[in-house]
Amino acid sequence: MWIRTVVSICGIGFAILLMFMQLGFLGSVGDTATVLLDRMPCDLLVRSPDYLHIYDASKTRNELRPWLKSIDEVDEAIPLDIGVTQWINPNNQDPRAIAVMGIDLNHPAFDLPELTLEMRRKLLVEGAVLVDDATKPDFGPQNGVKFGPEDIGTVADVFGTPAKIVGTFHLGTGLAANGALLCTRETFRKLVPGSSDEEVSLLLIRLTQGVTRERGRQMVAGRLDSLAGPASSATALTIDDAKTAERWRWYTETPIGMIFAMGVVLAVVVGGVISYMILASDVQAHLSEYATLKAMGYGTGFLMKTLLTQSTLLATIAFPPSVLAALLLYAITSALAGVPIRMTFTWLVLVAALSLLMCNAAGLIAIRKLIRAEPANLF
């Protein structure tokens, strides 16, 4: 008897773990989608109407900066160039696509502790770059694992231009890029084809103290609408709305997001099938006991309550070890893939609710034959 119970708990626990893993992967898509936006010290973003995602932001006019800075509610308009170019692995000469971010050193677009005064002086040299230490090993770090101090001084070919690594920074590359460089806007124009000083990928807007983000967005949007030419087509949105839009795009418009979203649905379906098989087998094994209860006058409600209690207990007992197993797999996967996967309170509540729903629905389906049958036919 206890063996059947253990097997049932393990089966349902596997279904719960499957849901946790799919939700964890889906959550990592959203987390990595905003890895750059999370480190931008701004209240608003001004971007091109052709913006696709953070690494394909298109271009807007750099001449917008003085116009926006003249708004009383705006404290600063910070430029950011971002694009993707070709990196040649300095060890084996293999080409790799790498993200490059060009910043104004007087007003950095990212809140990074590595951008000290000494590091900014080093970046002033044309061709000097910082490399994200989250860049994947196939880009050629000296130790074969991760870019670090031993890579300082390495000169790599970036789209036919020498780029000297003068340091590293920690930001995270996300799912859209396997590597990232940080440099001045002047160096950016050397490394990324098609870039110019007249255009900028994003303008980060800092509002004056006391101005709400929505009020600032309305004022910036109004100024953009009043301009003529291509500059008038730029759009303004709060940094929170930008993060939401970025996550939503990755969830609904990219193959990886849709795959993991479908994986969550399939995990629930698979879990329901496993739960049904377990509970239907249990009903069949105890058919005579159920028949006896029915012959003694116990009604359908009692039988349903009995099986739903059993299914609820199975889900409740299987849930804690599934959480522990999920945390372990999250840590292992994060370490091996370099993608953060974390457990959230939302995931806990959602999986707990889905587990109960899954098991109880399977229990109701499993008992339907018993409910319709006559007691005499069950012996």
Side-chain angles (χ1 to χ4, degrees):
M1 183 68 178
W2 65 269
I3 296 179
R4 180 186 294 274
T5 301
V6 171
V7 171
S8 299
I9 292 173
C10 290
I12 293 175
F14 173 77
I16 295 173
L17 178 60
L18 188 61
M19 285 190 285
F20 269 125
M21 294 308 298
Q22 293 299 325
L23 283 170
F25 293 144
L26 184 63
S28 71
V29 172
D31 289 341
T32 56
T34 61
V35 67
L36 299 187
L37 296 173
D38 289 337
R39 301 292 291 275
M40 293 181 179
C42 65
D43 300 293
L44 309 176
L45 279 184
V46 174
R47 66 191 196 187
S48 166
D50 298 323
Y51 178 97
L52 183 61
H53 58 80
I54 193 66
Y55 294 109
D56 189 3
S58 191
K59 299 289 183 179
T60 190
R61 305 296 296 178
N62 196 25
E63 63 191 26
L64 285 176
R65 291 183 64 198
W67 287 97
L68 297 179
K69 288 176 65 175
S70 66
I71 302 173
D72 292 337
E73 288 80 2
V74 173
D75 180 56
E76 188 60 64
I78 302 169
L80 171 63
D81 294 312
I82 188 165
V84 177
T85 188
Q86 187 182 70
W87 164 281
I88 303 298
N89 186 318
N91 296 327
N92 57 23
Q93 306 305 305
D94 285 344
R96 292 286 185 273
I98 194 167
V100 184
M101 296 167 285
I103 61 173
D104 181 345
L105 293 179
N106 294 321
H107 303 284
F110 298 106
D111 183 14
L112 296 172
E114 294 89 350
L115 289 175
T116 61
L117 289 177
E118 180 183 359
M119 187 61 72
R120 295 185 198 189
R121 284 195 293 268
K122 293 180 180 179
L123 286 173
L124 286 173
V125 178
E126 185 176 299
V129 298
L130 300 180
V131 61
D132 195 328
D133 61 12
T135 297
K136 298 297 186 290
D138 56 356
F139 283 76
Q142 293 299 317
N143 60 14
V145 178
K146 181 179 180 180
F147 282 93
E150 61 268 30
D151 295 289
I152 295 176
T154 299
V155 177
D157 183 314
V158 180
F159 198 71
T161 301
K164 183 178 181 180
I165 299 175
V166 297
T168 62
F169 67 102
H170 182 73
L171 186 59
T173 56
L175 294 173
N178 290 325
L181 300 175
L182 189 69
C183 59
T184 63
R185 298 191 65 219
E186 292 73 20
T187 297
F188 178 90
R189 291 195 292 273
K190 298 288 186 181
L191 302 181
V192 179
S195 55
S196 72
D197 188 46
E198 297 179 355
E199 296 179 319
V200 64
S201 300
L202 297 170
L203 285 173
L204 285 58
I205 307 298
R206 290 179 183 166
L207 300 175
T208 54
Q209 189 173 3
V211 178
T212 65
R213 288 180 173 178
E214 183 55 32
R215 169 65 178 170
R217 189 199 66 78
Q218 292 174 358
M219 296 303 297
V220 170
R223 176 59 58 88
L224 292 173
D225 290 340
S226 69
L227 299 175
S232 64
S233 63
T235 59
L237 63 167
T238 67
I239 189 66
D240 295 327
D241 289 342
K243 292 176 183 179
T244 300
E246 197 79 10
R247 292 191 192 98
W248 185 249
R249 181 197 173 274
W250 277 92
Y251 286 148
T252 62
E253 299 179 17
T254 63
I256 190 170
M258 290 186 284
I259 287 172
F260 288 138
M262 291 174 59
V264 174
V265 176
L266 289 175
V268 175
V269 173
V270 171
V273 172
I274 293 174
S275 301
Y276 168 75
M277 293 173 63
I278 291 171
L279 293 171
S281 175
D282 186 78
V283 168
Q284 187 65 34
H286 297 88
L287 202 57
S288 59
E289 287 90 337
Y290 283 113
T292 301
L293 290 173
K294 202 169 184 182
M296 292 172 61
Y298 287 96
T300 300
F302 178 81
L303 297 178
M304 291 177 61
K305 180 181 177 181
T306 300
L307 194 59
L308 290 178
T309 300
Q310 178 185 350
S311 62
T312 300
L313 285 173
L314 287 174
T316 303
I317 295 172
F319 189 77
S322 298
V323 173
L324 295 177
L327 289 172
L328 177 61
L329 290 177
Y330 281 3
I332 294 173
T333 306
S334 296
L336 294 178
V339 176
I341 303 176
R342 58 191 178 92
M343 181 70 72
T344 67
F345 180 74
T346 302
W347 292 161
L348 288 171
V349 173
L350 180 59
V351 173
L354 288 174
S355 301
L356 291 174
L357 177 63
M358 172 185 72
C359 288
N360 287 331
L364 291 176
I365 296 173
I367 203 174
R368 71 189 189 281
K369 180 180 178 181
L370 176 63
I371 293 174
R372 293 196 301 264
E374 292 296 329
N377 296 330
L378 296 174
F379 287 98

